[in-house]
Amino acid sequence: MSDSSRDTAEGAGWGAAERGEYKRLMPHKVEKLSWLNPRTLWAARNGVLASWFGDPTGRTRARWVAQREAAGAPADKLIRRDDPDRFSFMVIGDTGEGDDPQYAVVPGFLKVSQGTNFSVIASDVIYPVGSADDYRTKFFRPYQDYPAPIYAVPGNHDWYEGLGAFMRVFCADAPPLAAEPAPRPLTRAWLRSLLWHRPRKADGQRLDEARELRSAPAQQVVQPGPYWAIDAGPVRLIGIDTGLLGTIDAEQGAWLREVSKGPRPKILITGSPLYVDGKYDPCTIEGGGGTVDDIVSDPEHHYVAAIGGDIHNYQRYPVRLADGRTIQYVVSGGGGAFMHATHTIPRVDIGNVTEKEFRCYPLRGDSLAFYSRLYGRRLRLRRFFTLTEAEAMAVIAERLGIEPTRAPGTPARVTRRTRLVATLLGAGGRPDRTSRFRLPVRKIYTQLFSPGSATYSPPFFKCFLRLDVTPEAVRLRCYAATGNRAQEIEPPVEDEVTIPLT
């Protein structure tokens, strides 16, 4: 087995490593997506507009679901597969930027996924706004050699053009929705409609040509809608659509309660993770219907795991419930988009999960070293900002009050400079030692600077999951993709857990 980031710095992708061969999979011309570009931010404005003037996602989703049912999709949204009691599937989240970080995942993904029965994309299939014209280079091309079906739950970016392209690709080429009546003037809905981003009329004219890249019969799939359930072997997978703002509507909530009944073990796939960055976000069901986690944690529903995308890294919280059960809450959004920092995660103490049980990838020290180099280069302050992996690991250990996750090759001294850089880059700490200065810095950093942090040279710190199912247990493994050749040849396992089903 190859070294992981928990073993050596080389296993994390640092050092003079040989570049991977993923570029041969990419188009000759790649548009580099920048979240600091005003044009990109303006195109992706619908999330902000929904938070200001009301979120129309639930109503639009209901219309999509009604249209699919009228076309013959099952009302229970259940996909009945004939997988044996022992089978495997992949989960990969937040994939579709179409540039180096996404394609760097593909070689390892194809290697690890051999023999799997299907894959699931958990959130944000296409960036920045889910356009049909982007599916060729951001979905069909990168996964053209994966021989099995790919299911998906949409993320907020897939909703920025009303989910039309997602429905065409994953739901039997669903026709466009009929236009709604114009809202009354001078209302919130009217103001929203004036500013709302909509797809271009010519969008998706070459979608049929793009489909040829994944045209084998074994690759085809038809979902009943944006949310669904899959009966596969001994488990039921349930995918929910959390829309623009990370909630589900009352109709989907009622369906989720119904499809969650029964003794069959269940795994939730969601566009919005329920535990993330040391915080609990149970996912509201609109209309006073409680939360998604109320359903997941109910012992009568027999959930064993909940896997969410949206945050572009890997995190795992083994939450021990009052009745003695443990549910694995996982964040898996490292499939291709820019890396969300893990060094901003404070010392974990939530849901009976402590720092000892918590897992993340990249390691916090690697995340801090990555961003120190990135901003040292951008701000032309390399000598001041850039931290070695050992320095970053040491200052994170001091902040959290823990031993370094990876023993450094050469012990590093924590200096005033390393402490200052860690603070400026929003490094997390112990909850009982968070200063008044550090909290606003971390908030500004995570909300303003991190979203623009695309990079095009390894290590990328991307990841994906393989789940192997038997009647007794699910074995979940998180694999790394750095963009270096060594991790393409043998993707390292960054985390592994066996989840009992009985």
Side-chain angles (χ1 to χ4, degrees):
M1 181 179 295
S2 61
D3 285 347
S4 74
S5 68
R6 292 179 173 270
D7 300 316
T8 64
E10 291 75 17
W14 298 114
E18 179 186 357
R19 183 72 62 90
E21 298 183 1
Y22 64 88
K23 279 189 172 290
R24 63 182 174 82
L25 305 173
M26 298 174 64
H28 293 299
K29 185 177 181 181
V30 175
E31 180 181 356
K32 296 185 184 299
L33 181 62
S34 171
W35 291 102
L36 298 180
N37 186 327
R39 292 178 60 187
T40 303
L41 295 175
W42 177 243
R45 63 189 178 272
N46 285 0
V48 175
L49 295 175
S51 65
W52 288 351
F53 301 116
D55 184 6
T57 304
R59 185 174 65 251
T60 305
R61 183 191 294 119
R63 295 172 65 214
W64 277 122
V65 169
Q67 179 176 286
R68 290 291 295 127
E69 289 182 6
D76 60 7
K77 321 288 187 299
L78 187 59
I79 302 166
R80 296 169 175 85
R81 294 180 52 88
D82 58 357
D83 301 300
D85 283 348
R86 298 175 182 272
F87 76 100
S88 304
F89 67 99
M90 305 293 290
V91 176
I92 185 169
D94 298 270
T95 54
E97 285 198 355
D99 48 19
D100 291 59
Q102 178 177 10
Y103 279 86
V105 178
V106 175
F109 175 84
L110 293 177
K111 187 177 183 69
V112 171
S113 67
Q114 292 179 16
T116 57
N117 297 55
F118 59 88
S119 289
V120 179
I121 296 179
S123 181
D124 291 338
V125 182
I126 301 295
Y127 293 98
V129 293
S131 297
D133 283 344
D134 287 335
Y135 267 84
R136 180 181 182 87
T137 57
K138 301 179 181 181
F139 176 72
F140 290 107
R141 183 180 182 118
Y143 311 120
Q144 61 183 314
D145 293 326
Y146 179 68
I150 299 177
Y151 302 93
V153 294
N156 57 316
H157 289 268
D158 299 306
W159 268 100
Y160 285 160
E161 290 192 347
L163 206 65
F166 181 98
M167 296 296 291
R168 290 180 64 183
V169 170
F170 293 101
C171 300
D173 211 11
L177 289 174
E180 286 191 292
R184 289 185 295 109
L186 303 180
T187 61
R188 294 173 71 201
W190 177 78
L191 289 171
R192 184 183 64 219
S193 68
L194 293 180
L195 299 171
W196 200 250
H197 171 81
R198 295 175 177 83
R200 295 181 300 105
K201 291 183 178 180
D203 187 48
Q205 289 186 344
R206 303 183 67 178
L207 191 56
D208 287 339
E209 179 184 328
R211 292 183 206 268
E212 291 299 315
L213 295 171
R214 279 187 53 84
S215 58
Q219 295 175 317
Q220 305 313 301
V221 63
V222 176
Q223 294 181 190
Y227 56 92
W228 41 260
I230 299 175
D231 279 348
V235 299
R236 173 171 286 184
L237 306 182
I238 298 176
I240 61 172
D241 168 20
T242 54
L244 280 171
L245 301 182
T247 63
I248 69 173
D249 59 274
E251 179 182 336
Q252 186 179 179
W255 168 85
L256 179 60
R257 283 193 173 85
E258 186 64 29
V259 81
S260 296
K261 292 178 180 178
R264 192 175 192 142
K266 298 173 186 73
I267 298 173
L268 182 75
I269 308 290
T270 169
S272 298
L274 305 180
Y275 283 83
V276 61
D277 293 344
K279 300 186 291 290
Y280 176 52
D281 186 2
C283 187
T284 300
I285 300 173
E286 296 170 4
T291 70
V292 168
D293 197 47
D294 291 338
I295 299 172
V296 170
S297 59
D298 188 329
E300 294 187 0
H301 295 155
H302 301 276
Y303 278 88
V304 297
I307 304 171
D310 188 52
I311 303 302
H312 307 164
N313 53 45
Y314 172 81
Q315 302 173 42
R316 180 168 64 85
Y317 301 80
V319 175
R320 297 186 302 278
L321 303 182
D323 59 11
R325 294 177 301 128
T326 295
I327 297 178
Q328 299 290 341
Y329 290 86
V330 176
V331 179
S332 183
F338 70 89
M339 186 191 87
H340 276 131
T342 58
H343 67 265
T344 58
I345 303 173
R347 180 172 174 139
V348 171
D349 186 8
I350 189 169
N352 293 319
V353 180
T354 66
E355 189 65 32
K356 183 178 179 181
E357 294 88 26
F358 172 70
R359 294 290 183 271
C360 69
Y361 175 79
L363 301 179
R364 290 183 179 97
D366 287 332
S367 171
L368 179 58
F370 174 96
Y371 276 97
S372 75
R373 297 180 188 205
L374 180 66
Y375 283 103
R377 183 171 65 249
R378 288 188 173 180
L379 300 175
R380 299 187 179 183
L381 294 170
R382 297 189 186 191
R383 292 185 63 183
F384 171 76
F385 253 98
T386 302
L387 303 180
T388 68
E389 307 89 81
E391 288 174 328
M393 200 74 68
V395 73
I396 287 293
E398 180 187 81
R399 281 281 170 90
L400 298 180
I402 60 174
E403 292 295 319
T405 308
R406 178 178 69 236
T410 303
R413 187 168 62 93
V414 179
T415 65
R416 292 177 63 184
R417 181 184 71 88
T418 56
R419 291 188 183 102
L420 179 57
V421 170
T423 298
L424 291 174
L425 293 179
R430 297 173 64 172
D432 58 342
R433 295 186 181 179
T434 301
S435 71
R436 293 181 180 179
F437 171 64
R438 196 180 303 151
L439 261 179
V441 168
R442 187 184 311 141
K443 185 175 182 181
I444 291 170
Y445 172 79
T446 55
Q447 293 185 359
L448 180 61
F449 292 106
S450 183
S453 300
T455 185
Y456 299 100
S457 59
F460 295 121
F461 296 110
K462 301 290 97 187
C463 60
F464 53 89
L465 307 182
R466 175 173 171 137
L467 293 91
D468 299 294
V469 181
T470 71
E472 297 78 31
V474 175
R475 182 189 186 194
L476 182 152
R477 285 173 287 177
C478 172
Y479 288 87
T482 66
N484 289 327
R485 182 65 176 147
Q487 286 81 41
E488 283 186 355
I489 294 173
E490 191 173 355
V493 177
E494 290 292 336
D495 186 35
E496 179 174 347
V497 62
T498 298
I499 307 170
L501 295 184
T502 57

